[in-house]
Amino acid sequence: MKFLALISGGKDSFYNIFHCLKNNHELIALGNLYPKESEKQELDSFMFQTVGHDLIDYYPKCIGVPLFRRSILRDTSKNVELNYTATQDDEIEELYELLKSVKDQIPDLEAISVGAILSSYQRTRVENVCSRLGLVVLSYLWQRDQAELMEEMCLMSKNISDIESNTNLENKFDARIIKVAAIGLNDNHLGKSLPMIQPVLHKLNQLYQVHICGEGGEFETMVLDAPFFRHGYLKLTDMVKSSDGEVHNARLRVEFQPRTLNEGFLQTQLDKLPVPSVLHDNWQELLQVLTNRQMETRKIEVGNIISKNVTTTSINKLNGKMYVSNLQSHGSKTVEEQSQDIFAELTEILRFNEIPRNHILSSSLLVKNMSDFGKINKIYNEFLDLAKYGPLPPSRACVGSRRLPEGCHMQLSVVIDIRNTHSDKISGNKGGLHVQGRSYWAPCNIGPYSQSIWLSDDANQVSFISGQIGLIPQSMVILEKDPLCQTILALQHFDTLCRTIGAQKKLFMTCYISDKSIIDIACKAWALYCSDLSCDDKECLIIVKISQLPRGAVAEWGGVACGQLQIDENDYDREDGEDEDISCKFEELSLNIDFLHTITVGSFESQKQFITGFTGDKEELSLVLEKCSKLAQVTLYFNSEESIPFHHNVEYYPVEKVFDHHGKEHRFGLHIRS
């Protein structure tokens, strides 16, 4: 893709350009925002580094691409919410106007490079602007380990002896410290290169948790040279230091030095540039273990039966949430017409209950034919209208199921927060992870969904995680290796999301498989994953064989996780007369059903149970659903061609086969939440 690089002059924006080039994108322009009061070096912007802005005009000479600039005023960070929405007179709107102007002049501009590492504040704002302009965000430094990233930057930088002798043997990176504002850093560190200051930063990180890459504002840098500076570099001639308390600044004086590079030098440096492996080290080990084992190939016979079960919309209010399940449309209508019907019904349900659309937390979408997904997704996106209803769309799992009733193109179920429905907050009570930029971290969102959503006031941070498939994050192309690699990569992505948000306790897990050979791979991968984590979550998994997955994937992992349990069901003794939890009520029924996993989340006053179970007896299933209709919300995965009795408060999920975490087949699988 042809991209513009947002630059501040600092190391991160330029190092990200290098990774963009490594991933075969084409740099066509530079962009920068600078203080309108040009004599000012620091605007205390929440978003943009402006220290060293007087050197920015040299960079188009060095690189050979045009520079587009726009001025910003002091104190224009009007909207400081983490998840940004367009706000009049905010400095981010100046970024929007800058990029809009560039796109008008360069119509084939496709992407924007940004050097964010940890700052979600910066990332969400650039993504907001790019989303409005139809541009892709390239952020290859996002969520990188800072020590590892600094090591790589130093590896690709000029060595200390070259800098000290003021020679320029190669046009490697040369970033200099121009501002320090952290314990252990002083004016003696100004002007030093990254290799010079790296040992100091490691020591300060160990002593005081100073961010090695300066993500806490500990220091700022200015780049004098880079491998893609084809036409020249900046030679440091003088440095003027100043101090304000514990903050020390350096104003660099430089001269442009033209040069001619050997043909192919840039490609040589790109070949040397380290990039994270698609499968991380521990996941490579898991892959090796499974590869060394003799994997069983199990034949799964699947017919072309179309379910005759026509369900009714179910609405269940439970523990501050509303579960709207089984939204369908039937008859000889087109895919678009059925989609419009379903979203019209959901709109009416929300209107009747006086609930804004931004209170939808999670959605489950079944599509009879995945080739129709684009048509459905367009209407889905129009319904959410992120510009109007907020920047955090629901998490989502989407699969293809030929077992939907005849004449039904799709089914939608959603989970909605029904508290604080009159709040002025544009995102409601939601917290979330909505990363739209390409990186090495995990797949970005390329549609109207978030990677994860949770309630901001939930101490347990019960989080809905979107279904993850085996995409290579930096290219968003499906991994075309064997099914084992793809299945493990998809599980790695799910784990990465859980770790990023700090919600590693699994409550519900569903693995959707579209290939008959995946069942044993999924079981063994899950068992090893749980074993490595020394966790007891493995029994919360239901594996279902479905018809199709997005991008032709063979496996998709999705579910619900939380940050902390607070209490477990065994952490206290019940007094006489206290209410028993839902699992005990089921035991009283003496049901012939194997409840494999029960976990309690919350406090003594407010408990929620998450139960995973299986059965092969339809009569016993009916008893369970009848009992649950008064106590809980159920997702029922079923493969029976027989008619299934309808119960309220049940999401009916027609699939081809149902398995537990051992790979044992069942007629029915249940995820139950009280």
Side-chain angles (χ1 to χ4, degrees):
M1 287 186 288
K2 295 181 178 180
F3 73 96
L4 173 146
L6 290 176
I7 60 169
S8 62
K11 60 178 175 51
D12 299 337
S13 55
F14 279 98
Y15 198 63
N16 194 67
I17 293 175
F18 204 23
H19 276 278
C20 290
L21 298 174
K22 175 78 172 182
N23 283 278
N24 299 314
H25 302 297
E26 179 186 352
L27 176 64
I28 61 171
L30 305 172
N32 171 257
L33 289 108
Y34 66 97
K36 190 165 187 177
E37 301 171 275
S38 58
E39 73 281 1
K40 300 285 187 182
Q41 282 288 311
E42 181 63 83
L43 287 187
D44 296 321
S45 168
F46 282 41
M47 179 71 182
F48 305 108
Q49 173 189 326
T50 55
V51 177
H53 69 86
D54 49 319
L55 302 187
I56 298 295
D57 283 328
Y58 285 104
Y59 291 130
K61 298 179 184 178
C62 296
I63 301 173
V65 297
L67 168 68
F68 298 86
R69 305 188 76 182
R70 189 177 179 92
S71 64
I72 54 175
L73 293 170
R74 180 185 292 273
D75 299 325
T76 51
S77 298
K78 305 294 185 183
N79 181 345
V80 295
E81 294 290 329
L82 177 59
N83 295 291
Y84 179 80
T85 53
T87 303
Q88 187 175 1
D89 297 328
D90 191 280
E91 61 184 0
I92 303 306
E93 296 311 301
E94 298 296 340
L95 174 62
Y96 173 84
E97 293 299 330
L98 171 67
L99 297 184
K100 183 177 182 298
S101 172
V102 175
K103 192 175 181 184
D104 289 342
Q105 298 174 63
I106 310 177
D108 56 351
L109 176 67
E110 300 170 274
I112 302 298
S113 165
V114 58
I117 299 175
L118 285 182
S119 175
S120 290
Y121 184 93
Q122 293 179 3
R123 175 187 58 77
T124 56
R125 279 154 173 74
V126 175
E127 289 177 353
N128 173 274
V129 167
C130 289
S131 176
R132 289 151 63 188
L133 292 170
L135 298 169
V136 175
V137 178
L138 306 174
S139 52
Y140 293 109
L141 310 190
W142 175 247
Q143 287 292 318
R144 291 290 308 277
D145 177 86
Q146 290 190 57
E148 179 183 274
L149 185 56
M150 179 60 79
E151 184 69 30
E152 291 176 9
M153 288 183 178
C154 291
L155 175 67
M156 303 307 296
S157 295
K158 296 179 181 179
N159 61 50
I160 296 173
S161 61
D162 285 346
I163 292 174
E164 290 178 339
S165 62
N166 204 24
T167 60
N168 185 58
L169 302 180
E170 291 185 305
N171 66 325
K172 288 189 170 185
F173 274 99
D174 184 6
R176 303 298 182 92
I177 305 297
I178 60 170
K179 177 182 176 182
V180 294
I183 186 171
L185 297 176
N186 55 51
D187 61 349
N188 292 324
H189 297 109
L190 296 174
K192 297 203 177 284
S193 69
L194 298 182
M196 291 175 176
I197 202 170
Q198 183 189 24
V200 177
L201 295 172
H202 274 283
K203 183 177 180 180
L204 294 178
N205 174 259
Q206 294 171 356
L207 291 173
Y208 310 113
Q209 289 75 54
V210 166
H211 291 269
I212 292 177
C213 284
E215 285 299 285
E218 292 90 343
F219 64 91
E220 305 282 6
T221 58
M222 207 70 191
V223 171
L224 303 183
D225 203 352
F228 45 86
F229 281 19
R230 296 179 298 166
H231 302 291
Y233 67 100
L234 303 182
K235 179 181 178 180
L236 181 61
T237 60
D238 195 10
M239 178 171 56
V240 179
K241 298 181 180 180
S242 61
S243 297
D244 182 7
E246 298 300 317
V247 179
H248 307 278
N249 294 279
R251 194 157 189 170
L252 306 184
R253 293 177 180 170
V254 301
E255 292 179 355
F256 173 73
Q257 299 291 307
R259 66 174 168 213
T260 302
L261 295 176
N262 295 327
E263 192 71 28
F265 176 81
L266 175 58
Q267 188 58 52
T268 300
Q269 294 300 305
L270 289 171
D271 292 341
K272 294 178 181 179
L273 178 64
V275 297
S277 60
V278 176
L279 283 176
H280 305 160
D281 290 346
N282 52 334
W283 293 88
Q284 289 276 12
E285 294 172 7
L286 189 150
L287 173 64
Q288 190 61 48
V289 170
L290 292 180
T291 302
N292 292 338
R293 294 183 179 181
Q294 183 65 37
M295 299 299 295
E296 176 185 355
T297 301
R298 189 182 310 182
K299 187 176 181 181
I300 302 175
E301 297 294 341
V302 178
N304 292 318
I305 299 166
I306 296 175
S307 174
K308 297 179 181 179
N309 296 286
V310 177
T311 59
T312 302
T313 301
S314 168
I315 301 175
N316 182 18
K317 295 182 180 180
L318 183 72
N319 291 329
K321 297 184 182 67
M322 183 165 75
Y323 298 85
V324 181
S325 306
N326 316 317
L327 289 160
Q328 296 180 356
S329 179
H330 304 273
S332 58
K333 295 184 177 182
T334 65
V335 172
E336 293 90 343
E337 288 171 339
Q338 287 195 6
S339 300
Q340 294 285 7
D341 285 350
I342 286 171
F343 285 107
E345 183 179 355
L346 179 55
T347 299
E348 179 58 25
I349 291 170
L350 293 171
R351 186 202 63 76
F352 180 81
N353 288 276
E354 298 183 323
I355 302 172
R357 295 185 192 188
N358 60 18
H359 279 238
I360 301 175
L361 305 175
S362 177
S363 71
S364 175
L365 180 63
L366 278 75
V367 181
K368 179 165 284 186
N369 191 330
M370 287 300 294
S371 64
D372 292 329
F373 174 73
K375 302 173 185 176
I376 296 169
N377 197 50
K378 180 177 183 296
I379 298 169
Y380 185 104
N381 194 26
E382 291 170 352
F383 168 80
L384 290 176
D385 192 355
L386 301 186
K388 182 177 181 181
Y389 297 109
L392 283 177
S395 66
R396 183 172 73 181
C398 176
V399 303
S401 177
R402 290 193 295 267
R403 294 299 180 91
L404 285 170
E406 188 170 1
C408 174
H409 293 295
M410 64 172 284
Q411 174 179 297
L412 179 68
S413 299
V414 296
V415 183
I416 306 167
D417 176 27
I418 58 176
R419 302 167 306 138
N420 304 313
T421 55
H422 299 291
S423 171
D424 292 333
K425 292 176 63 176
I426 194 165
S427 293
N429 190 34
K430 288 189 293 190
L433 192 66
H434 185 216
V435 180
Q436 302 170 75
R438 291 194 186 182
S439 66
Y440 300 114
W441 165 73
C444 63
N445 289 326
I446 53 175
Y449 63 93
S450 296
Q451 279 97 345
S452 180
I453 290 291
W454 60 88
L455 292 174
S456 302
D457 60 358
D458 181 4
N460 304 103
Q461 196 182 327
V462 174
S463 305
F464 300 89
I465 313 292
S466 288
Q468 298 297 305
I469 60 176
L471 293 169
I472 300 171
Q474 58 265 41
S475 64
M476 293 299 290
V477 173
I478 199 77
L479 185 67
E480 293 183 353
K481 294 185 178 180
D482 60 87
L484 175 59
C485 290
Q486 196 185 123
T487 303
I488 291 175
L489 179 59
L491 183 54
Q492 173 187 289
H493 292 332
F494 187 91
D495 180 70
T496 296
L497 299 185
C498 291
R499 290 178 181 275
T500 299
I501 65 176
Q504 293 177 250
K505 185 67 178 178
K506 313 302 185 296
L507 303 176
F508 286 154
M509 285 294 296
T510 306
C511 178
Y512 309 90
I513 59 173
S514 63
D515 188 282
K516 63 185 179 182
S517 66
I518 300 301
I519 177 62
D520 295 290
I521 290 173
C523 290
K524 291 180 172 67
W526 178 250
L528 276 176
Y529 168 66
C530 292
S531 175
D532 287 347
L533 290 179
S534 299
C535 68
D536 58 357
D537 303 333
K538 61 184 178 182
E539 295 179 336
C540 72
L541 175 67
I542 295 179
I543 303 172
V544 294
K545 167 69 175 71
I546 46 78
S547 309
Q548 297 170 290
L549 286 173
R551 306 287 190 93
V554 297
E556 177 177 322
W557 298 84
V560 181
C562 73
Q564 57 180 345
L565 299 178
Q566 288 192 345
I567 65 168
D568 191 86
E569 61 260 37
N570 298 319
D571 283 354
Y572 62 90
D573 295 321
R574 289 186 177 84
E575 300 291 340
D576 291 341
E578 287 180 355
D579 287 338
E580 295 171 313
D581 67 11
I582 190 171
S583 59
C584 293
K585 292 178 183 295
F586 284 138
E587 289 173 5
E588 291 176 359
L589 295 175
S590 299
L591 297 174
N592 181 26
I593 186 167
D594 185 14
F595 280 101
L596 296 177
H597 186 77
T598 303
I599 190 167
T600 303
V601 177
S603 63
F604 179 79
E605 294 79 11
S606 176
Q607 298 175 50
K608 308 177 191 68
Q609 277 74 42
F610 293 81
I611 302 171
T612 300
F614 301 89
T615 185
D617 189 311
K618 191 160 68 171
E619 291 184 3
E620 294 294 341
L621 171 69
S622 186
L623 288 174
V624 172
L625 297 183
E626 178 65 28
K627 190 68 177 180
C628 288
S629 68
K630 302 177 179 135
L631 300 167
Q633 172 69 21
V634 180
T635 298
L636 171 64
Y637 301 94
F638 65 98
N639 67 342
S640 175
E641 59 194 84
E642 308 169 65
S643 60
I644 304 295
F646 178 80
H647 292 268
H648 288 288
N649 305 344
V650 177
E651 175 190 1
Y652 287 87
Y653 210 107
V655 298
E656 296 176 357
K657 295 287 182 181
V658 179
F659 305 89
D660 62 26
H661 73 284
H662 294 297
K664 179 182 177 182
E665 185 177 347
H666 301 268
R667 286 177 69 190
F668 308 106
L670 304 98
H671 276 149
I672 305 170
R673 68 191 81 190
S674 67

